[in-house]
Every structure is written in C-alpha cells, then in structure tokens.
Amino acid sequence: MNFINNNILTIVIFLPLAGAILLAFFPRRDRDVRYFALAVSLITLLASLHLPWYYVRGQSGFQFEQNVPWIPHPVIRYHLGLDGISMWLVVLTTFLMPLCVLVSWKSVHDRVKEFFILMLILETAMIGVFLALDLFLFYFFWEATLIPMALIIGIFGHGRRIYSAVKFFMYTMIASVFMLVAILWLYAHTGSFDFVTLQSAIQHGQVPGFATAGTWLFLGFFIAFAVKVPMFPVHTWLPDAHVEAPTAGSVLLAGVLLKMGTYGLLRFNVGLFPDQARQNAPWIMVLALIGIIYGALVAMVQPNIKRLVAYTSVSHLGFVVLGIFSFTQIGMDGAVYQMLNHGVSTGGLFMLLGMLYDRRHTYEITEYGGLATPMPVCATFFTFIMLSSVGLPLMNGFVGEFLILSGAFQAKQIYGILGATGVIWSACYLLWMYQRVFQGVVTNPANKTLRDLDARERVSLWPVAIAALVMGVAPMLWLHSISPSVSDALKQANSVTQSASSSTIHMTEAFLKAVGR
Amino acid sequence: MVPLSYYLVLSAVLFACGVAGFLIKRNIITIFLSIELMLNGVNLTFVAFAAQLKSLDGHIFVFFVMVVAAAEAAVGLAIIIAVFRTRETLNVDRVNLLKL
Amino acid sequence: MSMHLWIIPLLPLAGAAINGLLGKRFPKALVNTIALGSTGAAFAYALWVAAQFLALPADQIPYLETYGTWMSTGNFSVHWGFWLDQLSFVMLLVVTGVGFVIHIFSVGYMAEEGGYYRYFSYLNLFMFFMLMLILADNYLQMFVGWEGVGLVSYLLVGFWFTKVSAANAGKKAFITNRVGDFGFLIALFLLIKHFSTLEYAGVFKAVAPFAPEASAGLLTAIALLMLVGATGKSAQIPLYVWLPDAMEGPTPVSALIHAATMVTAGVYMVARSNPIFSRAPVALEAVAVIGTLTAIFAASIGLVQNDIKKVLAYSTISQLGYMFMGCGVLAYSAGIFHLMTHAFFKGCLFLCSGSIIHGLSGEQDMRFMGGLRKYMPWTFWCMTSATIAIAGLPPFAAFFSKDAILWSTWSSGQHLLWLIGIIAAGMTSFYMFRLWFLTFWGEYRGPNPAGGGHGHDADAHQAQDAHATSGAHGHGTPHESPWVMVLPLVILAILSFVGGWIGVPESMHGPDTFNRFLAPVFTTYAPAGIAHAVMSEGAGGIAAESSSELAFSLISVGVAAFGLFLAWYFYYKRKDLPAKLAASAGGLYRLVLDKYRIDELYGAVIIQPLIKFSSVVLWQGIDVKLIDAGVDNAAHGAEEVSDGMRHMQSGNIRSYAGWVAVGATVIIAFMVWRGLR
Amino acid sequence: MLAQILFFIFAAMCVGGAINLLVQKHPINSALSLIVVMGSLALIYLLLGAEFLAAVQVIVYAGAVMVLFVFVIMLLNAGEEERLSHGSRVAILLGVPALIIGLGIAAWFTTHITGLDRVAIGGPEIMNGTDVFGNPQAVGKLLFSTYLLPFEVTSVLLLIAIMGAVVLARREGD
Amino acid sequence: MIPSVDYIRILPELVVSIFGIISMLVDSLIPEQDSKKPLGIIAVIGTLAGLAATAYQTGFYGTAFYGTIQVDTFSVFFHVVVLLIALAVTLTSFEYLEVQRIRSGEYYGLILFGTVGMMLMSSAVELVLIFIALEISSISTYILAGMRRRAAESAEASLKYFLLGSFATAFFLYGVAVVFGATGTTNVYGVAHYLQNQPSTLAFLAVGLMFVGLGFKVASAPFHVWTPDVYEGSPAPVVAMMSTGPKAAAFAVLLRVLFATDAQGWFWIVWLSAALSMTIGNIGALVQQNVKRLLAYSSIAHAGYILVAFAASRQSGISAAIFYLASYAAMNVGAFAVVSHFAQAGEKYVTLDDYAGLGRRSPLLAAILTIFLLSLIGIPVTGGFFAKFYVFSAALQSNLVGLTVIGLINSAIAAYYYLRVIVYMYMRDERTEAAVPRIPAGLGIGLAISLIATIYLGVMPGRVLEHAVQSAQDLIK
C-alpha cells in the first residue's frame, strides 16, 4: 500500500505510455489493438481512481508527492504531486480516455495501431501536465502533448486537416515559447524549477529583480496559457482544429487540452504571481467576457456543427478564466468545477457529433434536419448533454457557471452581469442548432434511414450522461476536495503584500534594460 | 628603414586586391589566383611582424601557409578540372545549378 | 416528526425516470399506471402532508426539512431542503391536485399519439420541477425548479418536434425564459454578495432591519431583477411573447403548464419574496404597472383572435397581469387567491378546449366551430362554468379573487390602474363569451370530415405518427370525449364554481379564510408600517369601508355583464357585425389581430440584427478577416520574406563572396571602433 | 634611405602586378602577373630578413605552385573571360564598396592609431647586420622543435591533397 | 627528446591516421569489381580504436609537443563527438556508396583523415596547428563534397565550398597574422597571457578577422551563404559529416579563440551574428522544397542558437554550447542518414513531395526521422530540447532577454518547417510509388547510434552536461 501511495502518480502517468510501447510491438490486427487500447485506458482509469479514494480531504498542500532528483545540473527534479485541483483533472483525463477509445472504435479504420499509440502517449503527457510540480517537468509534458495531438489531427482528421494541425501546433508552440522564457528567467534567478520552492521564494521576496520582471514573467506564462485556453483573440486555432480533428481528438482537445491552459492559469499565473495576477485581472476578465459573449455569438451563426461547438468552448472557457481571475473563493471553485464540467459535457457533445459524422460524413447543419425521427436515442442523449452544456440546474454546467458568475459578480458587478448574459446565449446557439439538426421533418433522403446509436455508442455515452447529472446534483463530492486547495491558492494570493509597482514607465524601463543585456 | 605600417598597408592592399579579384573576376582559375594573392598579402603581414618582433614564429607560419597553399592548389585545381568536365566552362557565373 | 416532504417531488421524478428510460418497451397501460400512479401518490401524500401541516402549531411554521449540502464554497453554501408554509401549502395542493387531474385528462387526450411514454415522462418531470420550485427553502433550489419547468415546457411545447412551428415555439419559450432567468440570476448574485445566503430564512432575516426604501436601493434592485425573472416565467410585458406560441404543445400541457401552474411561478416568486418587495416600493410600483398593462394589452389581443387556444393564451397572460397587479399593491394573498382560482378555471377552459379540439379532430379555429353544445354537452357545461368564472360573475371563483385584486388596487390609491383593470375585466368577459358563443352556439360551421384525420393541435405531426392516423378511430362528426377526459373537466368546473368561496371577503360577510390563512406569510417579515396593511388585503384596506368595497364589486359585475351582453350581441344576435366592424377598423383591427406585431418588432430590432452582427461583423469580420487573415498573412508574410531571402542565395559564388566581404567589413569596422574605445 | 627606395620599388611592383591580375582578361596573363607579385614579395621578404622564406617563395610558390596553375590553364584551354549579363550584382554593388571601405579603415587604423608607424624595420642593414634571424638554419631548428607536431601533421594534409587530386581529376567510368 | 606521454596525448589522431593509411593500402589490394565494404569496416574499426584511444587519454591530461597541443576534458569531449560522428557517417555510407556507385577507396580514407583534422582542431592550442588542422578537415570535406562524380551539382558544391572556404580561410589567417603582430605569439595561452598584461587595440581587429573565418566554417550569418548550395549538392552522408563534424570542430576553435585567449569586444558581433543566423536560417527554410537544402538552412539556424550561448556568460554559456554541439551532431547525423537512405540512386528523392506518404511506405524510417526532426524542433524527451534549454537558460542568466526572445520565437517558427516534413510524411498522399529499400545493417547501426544518443541526451542529459561543464572549466582556467 505504501509503495502504491508513494508511486501512484508515476504509475498513473506512465501506464498509458507503457501501453503505447507494448502496442508498438503488437501485430497489426486492428481488433486486438482496439481491445488492448481499451484495456490500457481502463486500467489507467482504475489506477487513477486510487487518487480520490485515498486523497485526504481538507489537508492543504500536495499529496502523493514524489520528489526525486532527475538531472543534477540544472537542478531538475522529478517532482509530482496533486491537490484537489489537479486530482480531478487527472481523473477527468482518465475518464474520457476509454470513451475516446470507444468512439474511435470504428471511425478510425486506417492506421489503427498508430492512432491508439498516439492516443496513449497523449494521455501520458496530459496527465503529466496536471501532476508536474517542477516547472521544467511541467513544460516537458506541456510540449509533449503537442506532437501526438497534432499528428492525430493531421493524420486522422478530415478536410483541411493539415492546415489545422499546423495551425494548432504553431499557435501553441509560439505561445509556449514565452512561458519557457519566463521559466528560464525564474531558474536563472533562483536556481530552482520547483514550484513550491519558487512560490515561497517569490512570496518572501527572495527573487532578485522580481519587482521589475514580475509582470513580464506573468505575461510570459499568461500568453502560453491564454492560447491554449483559448482566450479571445487567440482562439482561432480552435475551431479549425476541432472541425478537422477526428472525434476522439476533439473530445480530448476540448475535454482536456484546453483545461491545461486554465489549469496553468490557476496553478502558475495565480499561484506564482499573485500580485501580478491581481493587477492584471481587470483586463484579463474583460478578455474573458469578450470570449464568453463573442464565442457565443459567433457560435450561433456557424453553419458547421462542430465549429459551432468549438466556439462554445471559447465561450465556456471564458467562464473559467473569469472565475479564476475573480479572486474569490466561490468564483475560483466554480472555475475549477467548470473545467470538469466542460470536459464532460463538451466531450459528450463531440462524441455525439462524431457519431453523426460516422453516419453521414459531414458536419454541415444544412445536411441534417429531423434526425430525432430516425435516431431518437441519439436525440435524447444529445438533448441531455446539450442541457448540461446550457447550464441547466441539476446538471453539472449550472453549478460551475453559477459559482463563477457569483464570484465574478462579487469581484465586480458588471463582470458578473455581462458574464451572466452567457446564460442566454448558450441557450440560443445550442437550442437553435438542436432544432436545425434534430427537429423538423427529415428532408434529406440520406437521413431517412440512419440507424440509431448502437450498443457500443450507448455504452460510451452513458458515463458522460451520468457524470453530468451526478456532478449537477452532488457537486460536493468534488467541491469538498477542490475547495480547500483553491482556498490555499487564494490565501497565497491574499497574503502577498501589494507592493509591486506597475507604472508603465517602470515596465518600459525594465524591458529596455532586459533587452539591452 | 621603413615604417612597419607601410608593410602592413601594402599587405592590406594586396589582400584587398585579392578580395577584389574574387569579386570581379569571372574565370574560376583567376579567382583562385586571387585567393593566392590574398594569402601572399597575409604572408607579408606575418613577415613584417616577425621582423618587428624579431620572432621566427612568423616565418614558420608563412612556411606552413605556403605548404597549405600548395596543397590547396593541388586540390583546387583538381576540383576545377572536375567542374570543367561536367560543365565545360570556367565562367563562374555559369556555375549556378545550386541556388535559392 | 418528519413529514418526509422529499417524497412528494421524488415520486413524479421516479415516474419520469422509469417511463423515460424504459417506457418505450412498456405497454400504454403500464405507462399510464406509472405516470398516474406516481402523480396520484404525490397528490395523496400531499393531502396527508396538508393534514399534518394544518395540525402544526403556529410556531413550527414554516416547517423546514434539509437533506444535505448541495454546494458549498467559502462562506457560501446551499443545501437541499424543503420549506412548507401556508403559501407553499396552497401551491402544493394546487399543483399536485390540478396536475393529477390533468394527467388523467392526458390519458384520454394523448391516447392516439406517438411518443406516449415520452409525453408522460415529461409531464411527470414537470411535476417534479414544479414541486421543487414551490417547496424549495432557498432561492437556488427555487431556481432549479424555475429553470426545470422552463426546460419541460421547452420539451413539451416542442413535443411534436417534426413541426417547425412547434420546435420554434419550444425554443422561443426556453430562450425568452432564459432572458428572464438572467435577471433572476443577477438578483441571486446580489443576495449572495450582500447577505451571503440564498436561504429564505436567512435572506428574510437579513432584510428585516431594512426600512422601505424611499428611492431605488439595493432591495429595489434585487426586487426589480426578480421581477425580470418573473416577467419571463409569467409571460408579462415585455417577455410575454413566448406564451401564445407555446400553444403549439399538446393542450393538456397548455392547461397544466401554460395556464395553471408554471406561468404562475412568477407570481409565486413575488409573493414568496414579499419581505423584499414590500421594502422596495419602486419595484412594487413596477410590478403593479407591468401587471396592469399586461392585463389590458393581452386582453385586447384576445378580443380578436380566432384560434381557440390563442384566445385562452392571451387570456392567461392577461389574468397573470391581474395577479401581478395584486402583488404590486401589496395584496399578495389576493394575487395568490387569483392564482389558485385561475388554476381551476383556466385549467378547465384549456381542458375544455382540448376536449373540443379532440372532438373536432384537431380543429382549433373558432370560425369553423359552432353549435357544439349539442355534440358535447359535458364539455359545454364545464366550459360554461369556467367562462362565467373567468368573466368574474358571482358567485363563481374569479369574482372573489379578481374583485379582491381590483378593490385592493383602488384602495391603495392606484385609481388609474384600477380603471385599466376594470376595462380589462370587461374585455375579458367579452372575449370569453365571444369564444363561448362562437363555439357552442349557432350552427356547426366546420366541414364534415369523412374519414379525415383524427388528431389534435397539430396537422403536420399526423403525417409522422403512424398511430395517429384516423383509420383506427375516425369520426365523421364532432363527438363528446371519453370519460377520462370528461371527468377532469367536471372536477375543475366544480372547482371553478366553488373555488372562490374560501376567500369570501368580510365585506360580504364572509370569513375571509384564505386571506387569514396566508397572512402569516406576508406579515412575519413585513416592514413595520406595512404589516397591517398587508394583513387586510392592500395598503388602503383598513381605511376603506366595507360598503364601498361592495359597491366596487357591483361595478365589476356590471362591467362583466356588459361584456357578456356585447358578446351576445355581436356573436349571437348580429353575427354580421364583427366583420363590418373589423372592416371599418381596418388597420387597427389588423394590428391587433397580428398581436401588435410585437414578435416582428423583436425579430427586426433584436434577433435579426444580432444574427447579422454575429455573422457578418464578429465571425466573418473579426474572426475570419481580422484575426485569422492576420495570422495567415503573417505566415504568408514570413514565406514571402523567406522567398525574398532566397534571392540572397543566387547561386553565384561571387555574390557569396560579396556577402562575406560585406560582413567582414562590418565586423572590421566594428572591431576597430571597439578597439579604439 | 636605400631601404625606403627599395621598398617603394618592390611595393609598386607588387601592387602593379596585383592590379594587372585584376585587369587582365586572360587567365594566363593574370597568372603571370601573380608571379610578378610573388617575385617582388620575395624581395621584400629579403628586405625584412627572411632569407629562407624569400627562397621558398621563389622556388616553391612562384616556381612550383604557379607552374601548376599555368599548366592547368593550358590544359583546360581557358580563353578570355566572358562577361555575362546575369553576373553578380551583389559582388559589384555591395562587395567592392565594402571592400574599399574595409581597406580604408584598416589602412587608417594601422597608420594612424596603432603606433606601428613609429616602428621602422627592414632594409639592407638587416641583411648585413648581426641579427639576420630568418636563415634556414634557425627556421629549421624551430621547425623541428616547437613546431614539430604541425610539421608532421602537414604530412596528413599533403596526403589528403594527393588523394583529392587523384579522386577528383580521375576520369569517371574506369 | 619528446616525452613518451606526448604520444599518448596524440594517440587518437595517430590511431585514426594509421587506419586511414591502412584503408588506402587495402584499397589497392581489392580488385575493382569487388565490394569495398572491407574498407568501411576498417574505417569503423579505426573510429572505434580512436574512441578507445580517447578513452585511454583521460588519464593523461596535459600539454604535449612543446605546448602545441593540449589534452583536457574539452578536447576529449570533442574527440568523442567527432569520432562518433565519423562512426555513424561511416556506417551510413556502406550502403550509400554502393547505391550511388561512388568509389569508396579514398572515401573512407578521407573521412578518417578529416576526422584527424577535426580532432586536432579541438586539442590544438597553437594557432599554427589549428590552422593546419582546419585545413586538413576543410580540404578533406571539399573533396568529399565532390565525390558524386556523375552529378554536376556535386562538383559545383565542391567548387563553391572550396573557393569560398579558401576565401574565408584567408581572413582567418589574416586574423592570426594580426594576433601574432599584436602579441608576438601564436600560442593560445601565450596570447591570453599577453593580453592579460597589456591589452592591445590590434587584438580587436584580429578577433574580428578570425571570427570571419570561423564564422564561415560554422555557417553563421552573414557567412552562411555557401551552406544551402553545398549541402544540397554534396552526397548526403558527407553532409551529415560536414554539418556536424567540422562545425563542431570549428566551434571548438572559436571557443578557444574567444574564451581561452580572453579576447574582448566581440560580444555584439556574436549577438548580431546569432540573431541573424537564427532568423535567416529559419525564415529561409520556410519555403524550401528540397529536404537537404531545408536542413542546410536549419543548420544555419542552429549555428545561431549556439552563438547565443557564446554571447551568454562564460561558464554556463560554454557548457551549453558544447552540449548543444553534441546533441545537434546526434540528431543531424541521424536526419541526414535517413535522407541519404531514402534519396536512393542518384539522390533522386530529396524533395518534400518525394517524402509524401513515407509514413506509410516505410513506417520505421519515417518514425525515426520524425524523432530527429522533433529533436531539431526542440521537443522534450529529445536532446534538442535540452540543448536549446541550456543555451537559453544560460542566455537568461546573463540577462540576454532580447536574444533569448528572438531565439525562442525563432525556434517556434522553425517548428513550422520541420513539421512540414512530418506533415508530408504522414499526412500527404504519396505521389511517388518508389518502394523504400530495407534498412541495411550499417545504416541501422548508424541510425541506432544517433537515435540512442538523441534520446539519451533528452532523458538523461546529466552526465554529458557534467562533462560539458568540466570542459568549460578546463577551457577558461
């Protein structure tokens, strides 16, 4: 037991990778490959359930920590640990993965082995991102998610998949460069990559030059995360990536990869630079609000379902950012919770869209219409998950949005009010889309004979539906462990003296100094 | 007695003539000759400094430069012959298959 | 002793879940059993709870049950819990009672429809959410019910989803409601921000020290925002537009959701939040004005509508306006009283219309009805009872309730509002009797369908639902409905008749039971100066004499009788007149017939511009042209630069040497300069 | 005085030869000009007391290496150089001006700044005087002590050169 | 009398030279028609013996031959790198030479002798020896570049490389002459000693001139112009060699010249050159269609990254540069090895279009190339990542924020064209139907060496970095 507790994080991270390596040596029998991938993802899920099971609630700090030296110089440690925030994101990842395997069961029929290898590698990297407590390690995993995802989009996607894959890759890559600069700066001035060490060093003002560089460091991290989230106006990679990605790719992209951005904002931007985060919160919140409204409005007029749902992600993730930068317990709790919700509900939506695509090979809304008649089960699931996305009370989305908005409202009333308009928009775009796709009379003869969801598809949707409901009715199962961790982060943010000066002149000076050696 | 700087300027001029030759001559062999001219310019610098410093190290260097120049000449001319075989020209402006 | 209130909402929920998940494979009888059984059980249990409640000592009211935390973060937490006081008691009985009755009706009405199990599942789900709404002990849980009923309304209005208009109507209902909910949400945020709690008890205690706000303040803001929510749910100006369209749903749904229960949630909310509203006179004024305006506005549209359900829909909006009017003049209990009677008579009216539509195989246009008295006597009599009730003629239910509202309005000094209200009452009488005459009197004007379709409400859905075709069940002529449909009519008709008697005011030497019963709800947390006024139905209540109250009742009755007379004159005596009148009124008539073209206005001013803006400016403009093109241009720019840079690579050795020479010169120059420094 | 006269004479020959190299159109003329430069340089080396180098310059450089050049020129039967319109603009427009500027800077630097213009060296005195240090004996001693390793390593260089010449100049296909 | 330990200090050079001579002798013994594989095997044994000799050297640090050569961690490190490059390239060449019908007799000899030159460059501390070693390595690569005798491109590449190389060498030589004039010595430590006592204005000019020559050898802007043409025209394994070996050696010389001599004033030149190299290299590569040419531009960019380390503070910068060279060698040799195999007879398949669908035709080869490309991008788990990481963290330690930002943005841009190759391999449908031949044993081992090195440096960079740090200390002590 002790052994497991000490190494569980490593186990969870590297189980999929081990699976991927084994899979590489598998014969090319697609059926076996699929079953094996499913088995690996399920085992990982089971292993990851160890975490919430043995997690000690209410205890501040990180748990299941693992901290061994990796590279002596520069001092890079293999430091893993989780708190209430990261724990659920890990579980979300492992939860979505078997479902992704299931939805790819038939839709991926070419280069099956490669596909599942990439998926499993991706899983390892994603889990690693959430668990790494060494900045270097974090960056390591962060970048490592890029390749498998780009390949999944580029190889297994459709349409302009190459453009999308490259766009996705380049956006993230260029943005994360700024984070790397910030990480390197921190290392150069403290000699440590360790999150905990850095946090206390910054808090106690032991980092030379931090007063001037702080804002720049904050921005460095922020740019990387903002692109990933994605926040307006750097969101345009997302619709493209989603539209062309295969279903499983979309699910993971929306479900997990975007969360990496918001997780990073919370963990690093707020955790390491609370002062700067507070100073910059107003405009970040404005961007988040623009994202909420803009994403929703643009989603409303999309002629392509998947693009539409992709824009809803922009809108929904805007809520999360809004919550994080509200700097209220309630808002930040809600933000973390909303990350999970969005993973479940948008993941579910993408799964459903994938099922439609499997049948009709198009995402154009005009190609559909009246699907509820031939596919009642699908329509029902769609309604259910759509409602979760709309934020209907008793469903998960509501809890998150409500907490976030009341947090934002406490921070600044107008933010809460503008954010709350999202409640209206989400109903507009989703219901309208639903109507155009599922309601009315079947006009397109191709849709008349569509078969309804089969057993496998239903099996992959049930967990999502159940999760959406349970998370809406009993959010305390999650909030119990999220809340104390958020409260830690918030305390951190509150205890720092509000000293850093932020005058533009000061910053410009610092910049000039920095550039000129 | 001549100021050292005169020698140096002379060597610089020779070197510069070599560079100029490289830049303006079209014939590959002439360009190669220009390189030799540059080396001669450098040699003069060595010798001049050696004289000033009363140090033989400079002479040794010049000696090695000559050896290298000889080796280069052998290889270089072989390369020129090889190029001439494939391209039937010695005009450097025509040797531009590889570009952009 | 615990009453286990949770059983009440959970019973229908269980019914909904079972029918929803498994109902497809069940025979109809089993679906019926589950749906009716769960609702009936809930009703029965509610009756038992009612008995228990009446036995509770006063200090144990409100009776509270909590079950655990729903969400909790920081110093804010919300739990699951139920709150039973006199107000929710009334609502509980109305909802479960009327709900059960309408369930019964549905068995007959929907017998031929596809998606039977789906329908009952939704209906049960509605019961669940409605009960959550009225039994909640905190605003957030109320919001659960609030949004939940909106959802079910969406689902049921769009029940015949293959019909474009139905789908549109469902969507419209949901979105319009969401607009209202937006206001409600903000109100909740304000509560959280200032009181850190959403529990009724906590909020009411927190506002207790406040005096009524002379001008707009925090409580006014909260109250007004709640009012926004209420206008959405209860279809008041300006958010009433969804309700007429919602008639696309099956008629029992219209009866249950869009007449008897859900749409009254706004009134319930205002009454429930009386401690806040009472302290916000500005908001109260707004409530009253909106209510009054809605009453007359909707009534005026109702005057000319030809679709039987549309008339009832506008009538509902109008009646809801009365309820708001009552609440707005502090006569909360009068508002609730009208709510209850309205549930009876409007439920009855809708069911009767359902019965008619059923009997006429889906015909809804009154111009093709007439003379139905002969074909469907039960329906006729029930309808008559409800019509008289809504017209406000004694001793039927609405006479007492509407009168209480109007009297309170007058006595609180809002004479103009009273005047408008009384005009609207006349209109109500007119358009209801118009409906009555057009439907039941005269000659049957409909076609004599030979083997035509049998179905209701929808025409399009007939094509879809194989079971709904007439072949199995064709009737040539209008016919009376089966007993499962008639029975509910009768129950509700009786209630429309007697329902008002529990609220006979003192001026008529009645016991005023209803008012007294509800009084604690509205007085416990009322601000000091108002408590007494509330107690006696409206601010001016004490001052007024009972004789003048009686006199005003007579005016009401007179107006109603006048309406009856006009209707009789126009639609029975001189049937040619309406057409002439319409012709002479011309544009005005057309305007009213087109519902003042408010939908078109909203469409042109809000929806179309928004879609255009989103599509052209945001998406094609900012997203595609600005950001994406910018990024792509940057990428192309890089490629152009790259392409340009290739020309540095001319392939010419001399050029290369040139570059080297340039570089060398720069370096020499720099190093010489450095050497000299 | 004599040293200066000699220097200027040989310097003039050097520069003249170099310029002739640039001006001549036929490579053979350029090669011959280079030999002039080398010869003059050998004399300047002598002025500077580099006996050994002067000899090597004439024997090896001007003699052997240049003969190789001339031989190749003849072998390839290279004619006068042709000027093509698509020649290098960079070389003429950027390279040459840069070169002139660079030369100017270097000349100015060496004559005015470094103080080297105050150091006078060379002349016949060096040859007559006591400290003739550039004789073969001294060079040889140094070459086989301090510079032993470089000297030995040149063998590898020459080996490569031979191999290269063989590889590249050999006809393909045999 | 020369102490015998001195011979140990040039043992690797000796051993490799001997094997070079053996290969020449054996060449004449093998009949023309027979396979020349034994020569390759001799070369492999030669490099392995060289490695062993280098390992043996570690106990015998010090100077030899009158202070012309110095064996220390620095030189050993570069010896190992250069020898491993030679080993991998030799292994790669086995098949290549036969496919391209290149006479292998002199080929291996030239590689071995060239290696000797590079090794000497890293251990020499006397500018005379450095110059000669530089010429050995350069001349052997000039010749190797022209080895595809049937192709006009190859001859042209050889000519361009030769002419421009000699041109640049003249600058280097001029620099040496000025150094000599300024300090009276050509020994690196002598120069350092002199400059510490009396700074000289001439020394600045000298450093500038030497930088021109060495900058050319390492292909840094603005002296990079030859690179794309030469890389495109030369035989692929030779490019693998010349883009790493002579480059590493030239960087070693540059390190010695700039750091060991305590030269001053070059900071902004290096800064500018680094920025220019990165930008020109990366932007130039964006539109390239020929993979070899693309990798040539990338090589320019990588030279820029290494120069960033030069601009950084001494100790960490030097060690970062050294580490970078090692990992760049690993990944670039690997990449060119794949390119050389895939090019097939006459180097027919070298454009991106030819690479389309490679992932399907030869999954293994494509996967391996992908790893090398990812390493070149600087993705974690590969040596390239740590290399960039160390370089830029060194730069930031010296507060070179501007250069760091330029560099990192560049490396992000660079991702685009590397990714393009991957995109073609996996995401485009093939146009050429050419079947990819099986991976022969020699190439397999060569690839394995580079692959293992790349991954090792990406996962466990600690050991190598320690050596790099030690080397840096040795260099500037």
Side-chain angles (χ1 to χ4, degrees), chain A residues 163 167 171 235-236 294 297 302 311 330 333 390 393 405-406 417 423 431 435 439-441 472-473 475-476, chain C residues 70 72-73 80 140 143 147 151 161-162 167-168 171 174 178 182 189 193 614 618-619 623 627-628 631-632:
Chain A
Y163 171 79
K167 197 170 178 184
Y171 257 89
H235 62 278
T236 53
Y294 178 93
L297 289 179
Q302 292 305 312
Y311 275 108
I330 181 167
D333 274 359
V390 167
L405 289 174
S406 62
I417 292 170
V423 174
L431 260 52
Q435 183 190 359
Q439 297 183 325
V441 187
V473 177
M476 285 321 289
Chain C
W70 179 15
S72 153
T73 95
W80 295 109
L140 202 61
F143 191 72
E147 286 252 296
L151 162 71
F161 55 81
T162 52
N168 270 333
K171 186 184 67 185
F174 195 83
R178 274 261 158 159
F182 163 73
F189 295 153
K193 182 168 181 179
S614 303
L618 293 184
W619 181 35
D623 231 49
I627 301 175
D628 250 7
V631 170
D632 286 350

Side-chain angles (χ1 to χ4, degrees), chain C residues 312 315 319 344-346 348-350 352 356 379-393 396-399 402 425 428-437 439-441 492-493 496-497 560 564 567:
Chain C
L312 291 178
S315 157
Q319 297 300 312
F344 299 150
F345 61 71
K346 188 54 69 60
C348 183
L349 285 171
F350 265 114
C352 289
I356 292 166
T379 308
F380 168 68
W381 285 112
C382 294
M383 187 83 163
T384 308
S385 161
T387 308
I388 298 173
I390 192 175
L393 292 171
F396 285 73
F399 165 71
K402 196 192 282 177
T428 307
S429 174
F430 173 77
Y431 66 69
M432 282 315 299
F433 280 109
R434 165 176 176 263
L435 183 154
W436 189 64
F437 281 118
T439 318
F440 291 105
W441 299 89
L492 288 175
S496 309
F497 182 48
L564 166 62

Side-chain angles (χ1 to χ4, degrees), chain E residues 218-221 243-244 247 251 273-274 276-282 285 294-310 320-321 324-325 327-329 331-332 372-378 383-385 387-388 391-392 410-411 414-415 417-418:
Chain E
V218 301
S220 72
S243 64
T244 53
K247 196 171 200 164
F251 267 115
S273 180
L276 270 179
S277 305
M278 292 188 290
T279 313
I280 292 178
N282 285 323
L294 186 148
L295 286 173
Y297 277 101
S298 111
S299 153
I300 298 167
H302 283 278
Y305 298 134
I306 297 169
L307 283 179
V308 171
F310 275 69
Y324 201 110
L325 282 167
S327 76
Y328 178 68
M331 58 207 186
N332 215 34
F372 290 130
L373 290 171
L374 294 181
S375 182
L376 286 165
I377 297 177
F385 174 68
K388 282 217 179 72
V391 164
F392 290 116
N410 255 299
S411 66
Y417 59 83
Y418 294 121

Side-chain angles (χ1 to χ4, degrees), chain C residues 42 101 207 222-223 280 303 329 343 382 424 449 488 507 515 535 544 588 627 653 660 663:
Chain C
V101 166
V207 299
I222 294 175
L303 292 177
V329 294
C382 294
S507 60
N515 194 17
M535 176 80 159
L588 183 66
I627 301 175
I653 300 175
V660 173

Side-chain angles (χ1 to χ4, degrees), chain D residues 121-170:
Chain D
I121 51 164
E125 298 85 351
I126 250 179
M127 296 155 72
N128 307 335
T130 47
D131 50 347
V132 174
F133 62 100
N135 55 5
Q137 192 186 2
V139 171
K141 246 186 202 157
L142 204 54
L143 209 49
F144 289 99
S145 59
T146 314
Y147 294 102
L148 176 62
L149 185 64
F151 185 76
E152 297 295 343
V153 169
T154 45
S155 60
V156 176
L157 181 68
L158 293 172
L159 189 59
I160 289 178
I162 294 164
M163 282 168 73
V166 169
V167 171
L168 292 172
R170 182 168 48 195

Side-chain angles (χ1 to χ4, degrees), chain E residues 288-299:
Chain E
Q288 294 304 328
Q289 279 295 324
N290 184 309
V291 176
K292 279 166 86 182
R293 209 171 168 81
L294 186 148
L295 286 173
Y297 277 101
S298 111
S299 153

Side-chain angles (χ1 to χ4, degrees), chain A residues 147-422:
Chain A
I147 300 296
M149 195 67 220
L151 287 177
I152 287 175
I153 296 174
I155 300 177
F156 302 95
H158 4 81
R160 299 202 306 162
R161 61 200 155 90
I162 295 174
Y163 171 79
S164 305
V166 171
K167 197 170 178 184
F168 161 74
F169 189 92
M170 291 310 292
Y171 257 89
T172 325
M173 184 83 197
I174 291 178
S176 50
V177 154
F178 293 94
M179 172 165 72
L180 184 60
V181 175
I183 291 178
L184 291 177
W185 191 96
L186 281 176
Y187 179 75
H189 291 77
T190 60
S192 172
F193 286 115
D194 193 79
F195 173 75
V196 182
T197 316
L198 283 173
Q199 198 177 28
S200 77
I202 290 172
Q203 195 180 3
H204 297 108
Q206 292 160 344
V207 183
F210 188 78
T212 48
T215 307
W216 296 104
L217 297 176
F218 173 85
L219 288 177
F221 277 93
F222 180 77
I223 290 171
F225 297 139
V227 168
K228 200 81 176 185
V229 168
M231 291 180 68
F232 179 87
V234 286
H235 62 278
T236 53
W237 64 269
L238 185 71
D240 283 323
H242 267 313
V243 170
E244 316 303 356
T247 304
S250 285
V251 174
L252 288 183
L253 189 59
V256 186
L257 259 72
L258 306 189
K259 308 308 172 310
M260 286 165 40
T262 44
Y263 168 78
L265 286 177
L266 181 54
R267 172 74 80 227
F268 297 104
N269 275 67
V270 174
L272 286 179
F273 317 106
D275 267 357
Q276 288 74 14
R278 270 179 193 282
Q279 282 160 13
N280 292 294
W283 64 263
I284 294 175
M285 286 173 88
V286 168
L287 277 188
L289 284 170
I290 295 178
I292 293 174
I293 297 169
Y294 178 93
L297 289 179
V298 177
M300 196 161 66
V301 294
Q302 292 305 312
N304 177 311
I305 329 174
K306 219 172 174 189
R307 226 182 162 77
L308 191 156
V309 179
Y311 275 108
T312 71
S313 287
V314 176
S315 183
H316 280 136
L317 271 293
F319 277 108
V320 178
V321 176
L322 190 68
I324 290 173
F325 284 92
S326 71
F327 281 101
T328 54
Q329 173 82 38
I330 181 167
M332 291 166 96
D333 274 359
V336 176
Y337 201 62
Q338 185 67 357
M339 291 186 211
L340 307 177
N341 295 334
H342 180 255
V344 169
S345 52
T346 307
L349 281 182
F350 276 122
M351 286 161 71
L352 279 158
L353 297 186
M355 292 166 192
L356 291 183
Y357 186 86
D358 286 349
R359 288 166 173 72
R360 289 280 283 105
H361 295 281
T362 178
Y363 286 125
E364 293 305 313
I365 292 179
T366 47
E367 288 284 318
Y368 293 105
L371 288 191
T373 308
M375 306 177 70
V377 178
C378 180
T380 310
F381 271 114
F382 202 99
T383 315
F384 196 84
I385 293 167
M386 173 182 80
L387 292 172
S388 141
S389 189
V390 167
L392 193 86
L394 283 192
M395 304 285 265
N396 54 0
F398 172 71
V399 180
E401 279 178 21
F402 179 77
L403 293 179
I404 288 170
L405 289 174
S406 62
F409 191 82
Q410 284 178 29
K412 195 161 187 194
Q413 294 195 357
I414 187 70
Y415 291 163
I417 292 170
L418 288 175
T421 58

